[in-house]
Amino acid sequence: ESIRLSNGKEISGGRHLFQQFEDTINSDLELLNLPQDIEQQIEDEIMSSTGAKPALFTPNIAFENLASRKVKIYSQPVKKANKKCCETITEIMTLLGNDIFKRFPNLRREAHKICLSLIMSKTEAVERFLEDYLNCEICYINTNHQLFKK
């Protein structure tokens, strides 16, 4: 089934799925309360972890507290977009199954059950992958960034 966009173009298939993913994640990211005073937060974290005497290196605890919080705020929008994509694929599968298997209701039911279990298992795998990816990003962020060197 194709969808007509506001500019008059029609999209279908994978492009429709991508459009839904993009709309979901963009709207959720816009709702996030991202702080604008990151420099001040960095200074506060470093001061609170080292005390009045500045340390030679950026303390790990300051970095972990600040960076972990910043990266983890993206977890929920990404999970929501993944679920939305799963729902869309399931909806497409149901529409196709109803049309193709009209004369074979038992076959339709079994095919639907098998496809649904496959989609759910892949959705869970994607969710684990995204969680691992965000955790890798937390571990990889460079503490030698100019804002951490102040």
Side-chain angles (χ1 to χ4, degrees), residues 41-55:
Q41 287 184 0
I42 291 171
E43 288 176 18
D44 292 345
E45 283 290 336
I46 291 173
M47 288 299 290
S48 68
S49 65
T50 62
K53 186 177 178 183

Side-chain angles (χ1 to χ4, degrees), residues 93-115:
M93 180 194 65
T94 303
L95 289 172
L96 289 174
N98 288 341
D99 190 40
I100 294 171
F101 296 119
K102 280 182 185 175
R103 293 179 37 210
F104 310 103
N106 290 337
L107 181 60
R108 182 185 76 215
R109 194 171 24 260
E110 287 301 312
H112 182 75
K113 186 168 56 172
I114 291 168
C115 290

Side-chain angles (χ1 to χ4, degrees), residues 12 16 34 42 50 67 80 85 89 111 115 136 149:
S12 61
H16 173 62
L34 299 175
I42 291 171
T50 62
K80 185 176 176 184
C85 288
I89 291 171
C115 290
C136 287
K149 287 184 177 181

